[in-house]
mmCIF file of all heavy atoms in Angstrom:
data_model
loop_
_atom_site.group_PDB
_atom_site.id
_atom_site.type_symbol
_atom_site.label_atom_id
_atom_site.label_comp_id
_atom_site.label_asym_id
_atom_site.label_seq_id
_atom_site.Cartn_x
_atom_site.Cartn_y
_atom_site.Cartn_z
ATOM 1 N N ARG A 128 -14.092 65.958 -26.490
ATOM 2 C CA ARG A 128 -13.087 64.883 -26.534
ATOM 3 C C ARG A 128 -12.601 64.659 -27.970
ATOM 4 O O ARG A 128 -11.399 64.522 -28.210
ATOM 5 C CB ARG A 128 -13.673 63.588 -25.975
ATOM 6 C CG ARG A 128 -12.688 62.430 -25.990
ATOM 7 C CD ARG A 128 -13.356 61.112 -25.682
ATOM 8 N NE ARG A 128 -12.436 60.000 -25.875
ATOM 9 C CZ ARG A 128 -12.809 58.772 -26.167
ATOM 10 N NH1 ARG A 128 -14.090 58.469 -26.309
ATOM 11 N NH2 ARG A 128 -11.901 57.812 -26.325
ATOM 12 N N TYR A 147 -14.903 67.653 -19.900
ATOM 13 C CA TYR A 147 -14.201 66.561 -20.591
ATOM 14 C C TYR A 147 -14.556 65.225 -19.937
ATOM 15 O O TYR A 147 -14.505 65.092 -18.710
ATOM 16 C CB TYR A 147 -12.683 66.762 -20.552
ATOM 17 C CG TYR A 147 -11.948 65.733 -21.378
ATOM 18 C CD1 TYR A 147 -11.700 65.951 -22.728
ATOM 19 C CD2 TYR A 147 -11.559 64.515 -20.832
ATOM 20 C CE1 TYR A 147 -11.069 64.991 -23.508
ATOM 21 C CE2 TYR A 147 -10.924 63.557 -21.602
ATOM 22 C CZ TYR A 147 -10.684 63.797 -22.936
ATOM 23 O OH TYR A 147 -10.076 62.835 -23.711
ATOM 24 N N PRO A 148 -14.909 64.215 -20.743
ATOM 25 C CA PRO A 148 -15.253 62.903 -20.180
ATOM 26 C C PRO A 148 -13.991 62.073 -19.928
ATOM 27 O O PRO A 148 -13.633 61.198 -20.710
ATOM 28 C CB PRO A 148 -16.130 62.283 -21.270
ATOM 29 C CG PRO A 148 -15.600 62.878 -22.547
ATOM 30 C CD PRO A 148 -15.149 64.276 -22.199
ATOM 31 N N PHE A 149 -13.306 62.367 -18.827
ATOM 32 C CA PHE A 149 -12.057 61.677 -18.516
ATOM 33 C C PHE A 149 -12.247 60.170 -18.375
ATOM 34 O O PHE A 149 -11.359 59.390 -18.693
ATOM 35 C CB PHE A 149 -11.455 62.236 -17.228
ATOM 36 C CG PHE A 149 -10.849 63.603 -17.395
ATOM 37 C CD1 PHE A 149 -11.565 64.746 -17.074
ATOM 38 C CD2 PHE A 149 -9.554 63.742 -17.889
ATOM 39 C CE1 PHE A 149 -11.002 66.003 -17.224
ATOM 40 C CE2 PHE A 149 -8.984 65.003 -18.041
ATOM 41 C CZ PHE A 149 -9.708 66.132 -17.708
ATOM 42 N N HIS A 150 -13.416 59.763 -17.883
ATOM 43 C CA HIS A 150 -13.753 58.348 -17.768
ATOM 44 C C HIS A 150 -15.262 58.221 -17.670
ATOM 45 O O HIS A 150 -15.957 59.187 -17.325
ATOM 46 C CB HIS A 150 -13.089 57.721 -16.531
ATOM 47 C CG HIS A 150 -13.496 58.382 -15.232
ATOM 48 N ND1 HIS A 150 -14.742 58.230 -14.660
ATOM 49 C CD2 HIS A 150 -12.811 59.215 -14.401
ATOM 50 C CE1 HIS A 150 -14.810 58.916 -13.534
ATOM 51 N NE2 HIS A 150 -13.654 59.547 -13.358
ATOM 52 N N LYS A 157 -11.213 53.388 -16.412
ATOM 53 C CA LYS A 157 -11.287 53.448 -17.881
ATOM 54 C C LYS A 157 -10.997 54.863 -18.362
ATOM 55 O O LYS A 157 -11.868 55.582 -18.856
ATOM 56 C CB LYS A 157 -12.668 52.984 -18.355
ATOM 57 C CG LYS A 157 -12.922 51.508 -18.085
ATOM 58 C CD LYS A 157 -14.133 50.991 -18.826
ATOM 59 C CE LYS A 157 -14.265 49.475 -18.681
ATOM 60 N NZ LYS A 157 -15.414 48.940 -19.405
ATOM 61 N N LEU A 158 -9.739 55.241 -18.245
ATOM 62 C CA LEU A 158 -9.334 56.613 -18.554
ATOM 63 C C LEU A 158 -9.252 56.886 -20.053
ATOM 64 O O LEU A 158 -8.886 56.006 -20.830
ATOM 65 C CB LEU A 158 -7.980 56.916 -17.908
ATOM 66 C CG LEU A 158 -7.987 57.127 -16.394
ATOM 67 C CD1 LEU A 158 -6.563 57.333 -15.889
ATOM 68 C CD2 LEU A 158 -8.854 58.311 -15.998
ATOM 69 N N ARG A 159 -9.595 58.114 -20.414
ATOM 70 C CA ARG A 159 -9.487 58.578 -21.796
ATOM 71 C C ARG A 159 -8.482 59.726 -21.837
ATOM 72 O O ARG A 159 -8.776 60.819 -22.307
ATOM 73 C CB ARG A 159 -10.854 59.057 -22.291
ATOM 74 C CG ARG A 159 -11.935 57.961 -22.270
ATOM 75 C CD ARG A 159 -13.290 58.585 -22.329
ATOM 76 N NE ARG A 159 -14.369 57.611 -22.447
ATOM 77 C CZ ARG A 159 -15.621 57.835 -22.050
ATOM 78 N NH1 ARG A 159 -15.933 59.006 -21.508
ATOM 79 N NH2 ARG A 159 -16.550 56.912 -22.194
ATOM 80 N N THR A 160 -7.293 59.445 -21.337
ATOM 81 C CA THR A 160 -6.303 60.510 -21.161
ATOM 82 C C THR A 160 -4.970 60.253 -21.864
ATOM 83 O O THR A 160 -4.099 61.132 -21.837
ATOM 84 C CB THR A 160 -6.008 60.727 -19.669
ATOM 85 O OG1 THR A 160 -5.568 59.476 -19.104
ATOM 86 C CG2 THR A 160 -7.240 61.205 -18.918
ATOM 87 N N ALA A 161 -4.778 59.097 -22.488
ATOM 88 C CA ALA A 161 -3.467 58.757 -23.058
ATOM 89 C C ALA A 161 -2.961 59.836 -24.009
ATOM 90 O O ALA A 161 -1.806 60.273 -23.923
ATOM 91 C CB ALA A 161 -3.536 57.412 -23.771
ATOM 92 N N HIS A 162 -3.840 60.294 -24.921
ATOM 93 C CA HIS A 162 -3.403 61.302 -25.895
ATOM 94 C C HIS A 162 -3.171 62.667 -25.259
ATOM 95 O O HIS A 162 -2.440 63.501 -25.801
ATOM 96 C CB HIS A 162 -4.420 61.424 -27.040
ATOM 97 C CG HIS A 162 -5.725 62.024 -26.628
ATOM 98 N ND1 HIS A 162 -6.615 61.389 -25.791
ATOM 99 C CD2 HIS A 162 -6.301 63.220 -26.920
ATOM 100 C CE1 HIS A 162 -7.674 62.148 -25.594
ATOM 101 N NE2 HIS A 162 -7.509 63.274 -26.259
ATOM 102 N N LEU A 163 -3.790 62.887 -24.108
ATOM 103 C CA LEU A 163 -3.650 64.183 -23.440
ATOM 104 C C LEU A 163 -2.282 64.328 -22.774
ATOM 105 O O LEU A 163 -1.856 65.438 -22.451
ATOM 106 C CB LEU A 163 -4.745 64.364 -22.389
ATOM 107 C CG LEU A 163 -6.183 64.390 -22.903
ATOM 108 C CD1 LEU A 163 -7.156 64.569 -21.741
ATOM 109 C CD2 LEU A 163 -6.382 65.488 -23.938
ATOM 110 N N GLU A 164 -1.590 63.221 -22.574
ATOM 111 C CA GLU A 164 -0.284 63.269 -21.927
ATOM 112 C C GLU A 164 0.789 63.815 -22.863
ATOM 113 O O GLU A 164 1.811 64.333 -22.412
ATOM 114 C CB GLU A 164 0.104 61.868 -21.433
ATOM 115 C CG GLU A 164 -0.844 61.339 -20.354
ATOM 116 C CD GLU A 164 -0.528 59.909 -19.958
ATOM 117 O OE1 GLU A 164 0.582 59.434 -20.278
ATOM 118 O OE2 GLU A 164 -1.393 59.263 -19.326
ATOM 119 N N ALA A 165 0.556 63.684 -24.172
ATOM 120 C CA ALA A 165 1.570 64.105 -25.146
ATOM 121 C C ALA A 165 1.103 65.255 -26.038
ATOM 122 O O ALA A 165 1.761 65.600 -27.011
ATOM 123 C CB ALA A 165 1.964 62.917 -26.017
ATOM 124 N N LEU A 166 -0.032 65.842 -25.714
ATOM 125 C CA LEU A 166 -0.593 66.907 -26.545
ATOM 126 C C LEU A 166 0.364 68.094 -26.619
ATOM 127 O O LEU A 166 0.950 68.494 -25.616
ATOM 128 C CB LEU A 166 -1.933 67.353 -25.952
ATOM 129 C CG LEU A 166 -2.887 68.102 -26.882
ATOM 130 C CD1 LEU A 166 -3.417 67.173 -27.965
ATOM 131 C CD2 LEU A 166 -4.046 68.672 -26.073
ATOM 132 N N ILE A 172 -9.496 72.974 -20.607
ATOM 133 C CA ILE A 172 -10.597 72.126 -20.153
ATOM 134 C C ILE A 172 -11.317 72.844 -19.022
ATOM 135 O O ILE A 172 -10.714 73.185 -17.998
ATOM 136 C CB ILE A 172 -10.084 70.757 -19.674
ATOM 137 C CG1 ILE A 172 -9.464 69.985 -20.844
ATOM 138 C CG2 ILE A 172 -11.224 69.954 -19.045
ATOM 139 C CD1 ILE A 172 -8.832 68.661 -20.439
ATOM 140 N N PHE A 180 -17.634 62.475 -14.579
ATOM 141 C CA PHE A 180 -16.737 62.000 -15.637
ATOM 142 C C PHE A 180 -15.281 62.391 -15.337
ATOM 143 O O PHE A 180 -14.396 62.140 -16.153
ATOM 144 C CB PHE A 180 -17.137 62.606 -16.985
ATOM 145 C CG PHE A 180 -18.408 62.047 -17.559
ATOM 146 C CD1 PHE A 180 -19.650 62.461 -17.087
ATOM 147 C CD2 PHE A 180 -18.372 61.124 -18.593
ATOM 148 C CE1 PHE A 180 -20.832 61.959 -17.630
ATOM 149 C CE2 PHE A 180 -19.547 60.619 -19.152
ATOM 150 C CZ PHE A 180 -20.775 61.037 -18.662
ATOM 151 N N VAL A 186 -8.837 64.703 -11.500
ATOM 152 C CA VAL A 186 -8.081 65.341 -12.580
ATOM 153 C C VAL A 186 -6.711 65.793 -12.100
ATOM 154 O O VAL A 186 -5.722 65.742 -12.852
ATOM 155 C CB VAL A 186 -8.869 66.527 -13.174
ATOM 156 C CG1 VAL A 186 -8.045 67.265 -14.223
ATOM 157 C CG2 VAL A 186 -10.188 66.047 -13.781
ATOM 158 N N TYR A 189 -3.984 63.233 -12.768
ATOM 159 C CA TYR A 189 -3.657 62.771 -14.117
ATOM 160 C C TYR A 189 -2.392 63.464 -14.642
ATOM 161 O O TYR A 189 -2.234 64.676 -14.472
ATOM 162 C CB TYR A 189 -4.812 63.054 -15.084
ATOM 163 C CG TYR A 189 -6.122 62.405 -14.694
ATOM 164 C CD1 TYR A 189 -7.336 63.011 -15.002
ATOM 165 C CD2 TYR A 189 -6.159 61.191 -14.027
ATOM 166 C CE1 TYR A 189 -8.549 62.427 -14.659
ATOM 167 C CE2 TYR A 189 -7.361 60.593 -13.667
ATOM 168 C CZ TYR A 189 -8.554 61.231 -13.980
ATOM 169 O OH TYR A 189 -9.749 60.644 -13.633
ATOM 170 N N PRO A 190 -1.512 62.732 -15.318
ATOM 171 C CA PRO A 190 -0.282 63.326 -15.874
ATOM 172 C C PRO A 190 -0.549 64.000 -17.220
ATOM 173 O O PRO A 190 -0.161 63.512 -18.277
ATOM 174 C CB PRO A 190 0.645 62.110 -16.030
ATOM 175 C CG PRO A 190 -0.281 60.978 -16.315
ATOM 176 C CD PRO A 190 -1.534 61.264 -15.516
ATOM 177 N N LEU A 191 -1.221 65.132 -17.186
ATOM 178 C CA LEU A 191 -1.600 65.824 -18.416
ATOM 179 C C LEU A 191 -0.444 66.667 -18.958
ATOM 180 O O LEU A 191 0.411 67.134 -18.209
ATOM 181 C CB LEU A 191 -2.815 66.720 -18.158
ATOM 182 C CG LEU A 191 -4.063 66.036 -17.593
ATOM 183 C CD1 LEU A 191 -5.170 67.069 -17.377
ATOM 184 C CD2 LEU A 191 -4.531 64.921 -18.501
ATOM 185 N N SER A 192 -0.452 66.869 -20.265
ATOM 186 C CA SER A 192 0.563 67.681 -20.934
ATOM 187 C C SER A 192 0.592 69.103 -20.368
ATOM 188 O O SER A 192 -0.428 69.635 -19.918
ATOM 189 C CB SER A 192 0.261 67.740 -22.437
ATOM 190 O OG SER A 192 0.965 68.781 -23.063
ATOM 191 N N ILE A 195 -1.893 71.875 -21.486
ATOM 192 C CA ILE A 195 -3.296 71.831 -21.056
ATOM 193 C C ILE A 195 -3.485 72.635 -19.786
ATOM 194 O O ILE A 195 -2.735 72.490 -18.820
ATOM 195 C CB ILE A 195 -3.744 70.378 -20.807
ATOM 196 C CG1 ILE A 195 -3.625 69.552 -22.086
ATOM 197 C CG2 ILE A 195 -5.184 70.339 -20.284
ATOM 198 C CD1 ILE A 195 -3.910 68.057 -21.881
#
Side-chain angles (χ1 to χ4, degrees):
R128 180 191 172 206
Y147 186 88
F149 287 96
H150 59 72
K157 293 193 173 181
L158 286 177
R159 300 162 174 155
T160 57
H162 69 292
L163 297 180
E164 296 175 16
L166 200 68
I172 295 176
F180 288 78
V186 176
Y189 301 148
L191 303 179
S192 164
I195 299 174

